[in-house]
């Protein structure tokens, strides 16, 4: 054995630990799959059949297109234009919340956070801002905004595909809940932020926009959504991926490949778990055939395993996609793990001691939203 091989061996465990810490969700899913295969083996070639491939191909296409829009510089340019003439802290908070909500509707909640949170940090260098409080409200904002469309978050994308609703039908069904959550958030923000003067006139950032890149990405985005709505996401993905690989390959190479793999493994692991006799029997006894029970199950289970896995698992036991969408949407609030967007926001802000303040806002918000969302579901 060479000295290089001997020296490399001690670094392998360290690298594995480092990867596990960087991608904890992916690591947990890999370990869970290994445990399931040991406890209740399935043929490895049968596992891909557990994946909802239309959802995965749609997600892949959206990741490429949103990455292209992000790399074009359009989103950051828009963000700076929105806040350029702000004169008070409360106005800034309301504008940022609105920006986060709108972006989350169309470019996913994760991408929205990668725009608005860094924007807050850059503006904080010009004038002292309540970064911690803004981060908390922006996390809630992207969760609220992403409720409206199938493009807003992975669980909506999945439920849109399996539910068979049109794009417009999905939006119409979720619009009341989105409006409720948005109204609650703005009412809370009005009291949480002061009307003290704020001088951001020093914001001279001039983000460069690659207009050709942004224009092509925007046109392809609309075309891809139409294809996905017609259940031809695979054709759309092939066209988008090949086109960008030939023209601007960074849009493909720099997407979140780990998220795609996580989504594939979620289908395999969670559907395998749902098929276990004792799990199937336990959840079956909950009687998820009624909308209210499906709603409550989605909201509560999200607090333990996050709303994307909750949607995938509970979809095996109810066909009421609307009730389930309401439940996992509300489930994104409350405990931070309810939505991965919460964890991303906190990570981006790099603010210590934020967990307690976050839960002091998010948990009461979840309880009120849960009660009002349930009433809304049953009376519409």
């Amino acid at each position: 054995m060479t000295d290089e091989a001997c020296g490399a061996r001690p670094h392998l465990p360290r690298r594995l630990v480092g990867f596990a810490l960087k991608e904890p969700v992916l690591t947990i899913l890999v370990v869970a799959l290994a445990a399931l295969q040991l406890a209740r083996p399935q043929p490895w070639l049968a596992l891909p059949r557990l994946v909802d491939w239309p959802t995965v191909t749609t997600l892949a296409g959206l990741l490429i297109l949103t990455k292209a829009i992000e790399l074009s510089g359009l989103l950051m340019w828009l963000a700076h234009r929105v806040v350029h003439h702000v004169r008070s802290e409360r106005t800034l908070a309301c504008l940022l919340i609105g920006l986060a909500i709108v972006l989350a509707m169309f470019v996913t909640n994760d991408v929205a956070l990668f725009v608005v949170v860094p924007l807050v940090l850059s503006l904080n260098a010009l004038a002292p801002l309540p970064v911690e409080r803004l981060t908390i409200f922006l996390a809630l904002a992207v969760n609220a905004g992403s409720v409206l469309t199938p493009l807003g978050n992975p669980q909506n994308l999945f439920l849109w595909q399996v539910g068979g609703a049109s794009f417009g039908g999905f939006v119409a069904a979720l619009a009341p809940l989105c409006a409720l959550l948005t109204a609650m958030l703005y009412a809370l923000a009005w009291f949480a932020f002061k009307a003290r003067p704020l001088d951001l006139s020093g914001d001279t950032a001039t983000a460069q926009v690659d207009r050709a890149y942004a224009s092509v990405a925007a046109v392809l985005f609309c075309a891809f959504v139409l294809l996905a709505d017609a259940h031809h996401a695979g054709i759309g993905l092939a066209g988008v991926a090949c086109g960008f690989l030939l023209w601007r390959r960074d849009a493909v190479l720099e997407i979140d490949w780990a998220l795609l793999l996580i989504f594939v493994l979620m289908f395999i692991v969670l559907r395998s778990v749902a098929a276990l006799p004792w799990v199937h029997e336990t959840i079956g006894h909950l009687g998820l055939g009624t909308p209210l029970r499906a709603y409550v199950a989605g909201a509560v289970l999200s607090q333990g395993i996050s709303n994307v896995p909750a949607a995938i698992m509970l979809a095996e036991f109810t066909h009421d996609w609307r009730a389930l969408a309401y439940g996992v949407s509300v489930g994104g609030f409350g405990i931070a793990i309810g939505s991965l967007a919460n964890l991303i926001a906190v990570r981006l802000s790099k603010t210590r001691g934020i967990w307690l303040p976050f839960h002091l806002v998010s948990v009461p918000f979840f309880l009120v939203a849960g009660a009002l969302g349930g009433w809304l579901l049953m009376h519409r």
Side-chain angles (χ1 to χ4, degrees), residues 228-279:
D229 195 29
H231 304 289
H232 297 302
I235 297 173
L237 174 60
V240 166
C242 291
F244 277 115
L245 281 173
L246 292 173
W247 183 48
R248 296 290 181 89
R249 64 179 60 188
D250 53 350
V252 178
L253 300 180
E254 295 182 24
I255 68 169
D256 192 346
W257 290 101
L259 178 60
L260 276 179
L261 182 55
I262 285 171
F263 221 57
V264 169
L265 288 176
M266 273 187 183
F267 280 115
I268 295 172
V269 170
L270 294 172
R271 285 179 167 174
S272 296
V273 169
L276 293 174
W278 66 272
V279 173

Side-chain angles (χ1 to χ4, degrees), residues 321-334:
W321 66 265
R322 179 171 168 266
L324 190 52
Y326 267 58
V328 296
S329 294
V330 170
F333 304 94

Side-chain angles (χ1 to χ4, degrees), residues 2 55 73 127 142 203 231 244 250 277 295 299 313 333 342 356 380:
T2 65
T55 301
V142 298
D203 178 26
H231 304 289
F244 277 115
D250 53 350
Y295 169 78
M313 175 171 281
F333 304 94
N342 299 333
L356 179 58
R380 179 174 166 77

Side-chain angles (χ1 to χ4, degrees), residues 120-318:
V120 168
L121 297 179
S122 66
L123 294 176
N124 188 52
L126 301 174
L129 298 176
V131 174
E132 179 183 277
R133 200 177 317 137
L134 281 170
T135 300
I136 293 169
F137 273 80
L138 291 176
L140 301 182
V142 298
N143 283 325
S146 68
V147 167
L148 184 63
T149 72
L151 315 178
N153 51 56
Q155 65 270 18
N156 277 11
L157 186 61
F158 166 65
L159 293 172
W160 176 44
Q161 292 293 319
V162 300
S166 66
F167 188 93
F170 189 99
V171 170
L174 273 295
L177 180 61
C178 181
L180 169 68
L181 295 173
T182 300
M184 286 179 57
L185 188 58
Y186 269 111
L188 188 59
W190 185 261
F191 295 101
F193 296 94
K194 301 176 181 179
R196 68 179 181 88
L198 197 63
D199 183 12
L200 296 175
S201 58
D203 178 26
T204 57
T206 54
Q208 297 297 317
V209 180
D210 187 329
R211 295 185 179 182
Y213 206 173
S215 299
V216 170
V219 171
L220 290 179
F221 191 96
C222 296
F224 182 81
V225 170
L226 291 174
L227 283 171
D229 195 29
H231 304 289
H232 297 302
I235 297 173
L237 174 60
V240 166
C242 291
F244 277 115
L245 281 173
L246 292 173
W247 183 48
R248 296 290 181 89
R249 64 179 60 188
D250 53 350
V252 178
L253 300 180
E254 295 182 24
I255 68 169
D256 192 346
W257 290 101
L259 178 60
L260 276 179
L261 182 55
I262 285 171
F263 221 57
V264 169
L265 288 176
M266 273 187 183
F267 280 115
I268 295 172
V269 170
L270 294 172
R271 285 179 167 174
S272 296
V273 169
L276 293 174
W278 66 272
V279 173
H280 195 277
E281 184 177 347
T282 300
I283 299 181
H285 286 160
L286 297 178
L288 301 186
T290 65
L292 187 58
R293 289 192 178 188
Y295 169 78
V296 172
V300 173
L301 187 58
S302 295
Q303 303 306 298
I305 65 173
S306 191
N307 49 13
V308 178
I312 294 173
M313 175 171 281
L314 294 177
E316 298 295 305
F317 301 91
T318 177

